[in-house]
Amino acid sequence: MRLSNLVSLMKERNFDGALISPGTNLYYLTGLHIHEAGERLTVLVVSAGGDYRLLAPSLYENVVRNFPVTFWRDGENPYDKLAWILAEFHLSGGRLLIEDTMRADWLMKVIHLGSFEFHPLSSLMRELRMRKDKHEIEMMGHAARAADRAFDEILSWDLLGMRERELALKIELAIRELSDGISFEPIVASGENAANPHHAPGDRRLRKGDLVILDYGAKWKGYCSDITRTIALGRPDERLVEIYEVVKEAQERAYRAVREGVLAREVDGAARETIAKAGYGEYFTHRTGHGLGLDVHEEPYIGPDGNVALENGMTFTIEPGIYVPGLGGVRIEDDVVVHDGRGKRLTRAERELIRL
């Protein structure tokens, strides 16, 4: 069905074919678990006529079943086999969609297989993937609950004196026990390090008075969650407490702004206006959120230039933050789905400031 939807959209937009290398688009379209194959050419060929076939190394002979496939072995030239498939599908030229993340060395050889005009596959795939169906939302809900449960576990740990990187590892292990794995490397940013939105956990030890940003996510059946909570160890600086309340209000107002038909930038504006009115506008340095699904970052993006009108089934984060150099920072993030015309939180861990 999903391949048929892609073919229909290709015909509508006058594309002749598509070459899709391993990644989330390939999984979305086929359900095949094809991991990155390194230097070995692996590509799904789809024609606007409705033909499709996977070209894969023989490593996958026991993996790919009940799907049209041509295997190649080490010592063979896979591009000869790709040329044969293209010829069979009458793809000697025309407008060809290419997976955005295809290896450059693969693409450089594909260029010589015909007279093609190349276009990014994402121009079509984002339209297919932005609206999740009931099953996809259920998978994301499961991943979100794993993230919530991990937060409960974190609150039971003795965090004082722990290094940031030690806590990040503990979070990763907890997530792996609760789900299929992490959706990205956990972020732990304590004290003044929390002024860096994408701080890489280091050797700084957590101490009394810190605010600590915890940003992590889980995966379930390929689908991602992404949550951020900021906690206090002991009694933090009063300005940080004030900042926390501003961020919490901004996140809530952005969440309440989620409605079917509302532009993504209007949700961003609700958060940005709240933070600016409190005098911290210059310290909110990123967009309010990003789409979420098989990738931890995908369409729709909730930013000042977000022109996508929200629709039922769209899933994304809402994660405003304030980051003051030399002092610290706060971010609060939830996963949200547009359901029955309005926002519904998938992550539900406590949003009030927790002091340990």
Side-chain angles (χ1 to χ4, degrees), residues 75 118 139 159-160 212 215 238 244 288 297 304 319 330:
F118 296 108
M139 298 304 98
L159 301 181
L160 284 176
V212 184
D215 187 349
E238 285 303 315
Y244 188 97
T288 294
H297 280 206
E319 50 176 305
V330 173

Side-chain angles (χ1 to χ4, degrees), residues 202-323:
D203 287 327
R204 185 187 186 280
R205 294 184 182 275
L206 278 60
R207 51 181 180 260
K208 287 186 177 180
D210 281 349
L211 281 192
V212 184
I213 292 177
L214 307 170
D215 187 349
Y216 59 90
K219 273 193 171 187
W220 188 255
K221 307 303 181 186
Y223 287 86
C224 300
S225 63
D226 184 359
I227 188 173
T228 305
R229 290 295 185 264
T230 303
I231 61 174
L233 300 183
R235 187 179 181 87
D237 185 289
E238 285 303 315
R239 189 181 178 195
L240 288 172
V241 175
E242 173 192 324
I243 288 171
Y244 188 97
E245 292 303 316
V246 172
V247 172
K248 182 163 67 74
E249 181 182 0
Q251 206 240 17
E252 181 65 22
R253 289 193 176 183
Y255 171 69
R256 291 181 181 178
V258 174
R259 291 288 189 278
E260 186 177 16
V262 165
L263 296 179
R265 67 169 180 261
E266 296 178 64
V267 178
D268 175 86
R272 206 164 296 280
E273 180 182 10
T274 302
I275 290 175
K277 283 184 176 180
Y280 292 100
E282 66 181 295
Y283 301 113
F284 182 15
T285 55
H286 55 74
R287 61 193 169 215
T288 294
H290 54 82
L292 194 66
L294 289 171
D295 288 313
V296 75
H297 280 206
E298 59 181 56
E299 297 278 357
Y301 291 99
I302 313 299
D305 56 351
N307 293 319
V308 173
L310 300 184
E311 298 180 32
N312 283 325
M314 288 186 176
T315 51
F316 46 86
T317 66
I318 295 181
E319 50 176 305
I322 295 174
Y323 313 92

Side-chain angles (χ1 to χ4, degrees), residues 21 48 85 109 114 121 127 159 190 214 276 289 312 317:
S21 50
I85 296 172
K109 293 177 181 177
L121 180 69
E127 296 185 40
L159 301 181
S190 62
L214 307 170
N312 283 325
T317 66

Side-chain angles (χ1 to χ4, degrees), residues 47-324:
S47 79
D51 297 310
Y52 58 89
R53 183 176 300 159
L54 180 70
L55 175 66
S58 57
L59 298 171
Y60 289 103
E61 286 182 348
N62 295 321
V63 176
V64 180
R65 304 287 179 86
N66 302 316
F67 194 89
V69 59
T70 294
F71 293 109
W72 64 274
R73 296 181 179 277
D74 288 350
E76 296 181 316
N77 185 344
Y79 296 92
D80 289 342
K81 294 200 171 189
L82 177 57
W84 179 79
I85 296 172
L86 291 172
E88 184 184 8
F89 290 178
H90 306 290
L91 288 172
S92 59
R95 305 177 74 225
L96 193 65
L97 293 160
I98 294 289
E99 177 64 66
D100 297 42
T101 58
M102 180 180 286
R103 287 173 56 116
D105 56 340
W106 295 4
L107 179 57
M108 291 173 69
K109 293 177 181 177
V110 168
I111 288 172
H112 299 292
L113 299 181
S115 300
F116 299 113
E117 177 185 308
F118 296 108
H119 297 267
L121 180 69
S122 61
S123 62
L124 268 65
M125 289 304 302
R126 63 189 174 203
E127 296 185 40
L128 298 177
R129 288 177 51 178
M130 267 200 297
R131 289 166 293 279
K132 274 63 176 180
D133 60 29
K134 182 179 179 181
H135 173 75
E136 290 179 289
I137 293 170
E138 287 175 355
M139 298 304 98
M140 294 183 67
H142 194 117
R145 288 190 293 275
D148 287 342
R149 290 175 61 191
F151 185 64
D152 290 338
E153 286 195 25
I154 293 167
L155 297 180
S156 71
W157 298 340
D158 185 6
L159 301 181
L160 284 176
M162 192 180 296
R163 290 185 175 90
E164 290 175 341
R165 58 183 177 85
E166 292 176 309
L167 178 52
L169 179 58
K170 282 179 66 70
I171 292 172
E172 178 174 341
L173 293 174
I175 287 290
R176 291 187 182 279
E177 289 181 352
L178 293 167
S179 68
D180 290 338
I182 58 173
S183 53
F184 60 94
E185 295 289 333
I187 294 172
V188 175
S190 62
E192 64 279 1
N193 289 340
N196 179 4
H198 279 179
H199 173 69
D203 287 327
R204 185 187 186 280
R205 294 184 182 275
L206 278 60
R207 51 181 180 260
K208 287 186 177 180
D210 281 349
L211 281 192
V212 184
I213 292 177
L214 307 170
D215 187 349
Y216 59 90
K219 273 193 171 187
W220 188 255
K221 307 303 181 186
Y223 287 86
C224 300
S225 63
D226 184 359
I227 188 173
T228 305
R229 290 295 185 264
T230 303
I231 61 174
L233 300 183
R235 187 179 181 87
D237 185 289
E238 285 303 315
R239 189 181 178 195
L240 288 172
V241 175
E242 173 192 324
I243 288 171
Y244 188 97
E245 292 303 316
V246 172
V247 172
K248 182 163 67 74
E249 181 182 0
Q251 206 240 17
E252 181 65 22
R253 289 193 176 183
Y255 171 69
R256 291 181 181 178
V258 174
R259 291 288 189 278
E260 186 177 16
V262 165
L263 296 179
R265 67 169 180 261
E266 296 178 64
V267 178
D268 175 86
R272 206 164 296 280
E273 180 182 10
T274 302
I275 290 175
K277 283 184 176 180
Y280 292 100
E282 66 181 295
Y283 301 113
F284 182 15
T285 55
H286 55 74
R287 61 193 169 215
T288 294
H290 54 82
L292 194 66
L294 289 171
D295 288 313
V296 75
H297 280 206
E298 59 181 56
E299 297 278 357
Y301 291 99
I302 313 299
D305 56 351
N307 293 319
V308 173
L310 300 184
E311 298 180 32
N312 283 325
M314 288 186 176
T315 51
F316 46 86
T317 66
I318 295 181
E319 50 176 305
I322 295 174
Y323 313 92
V324 182

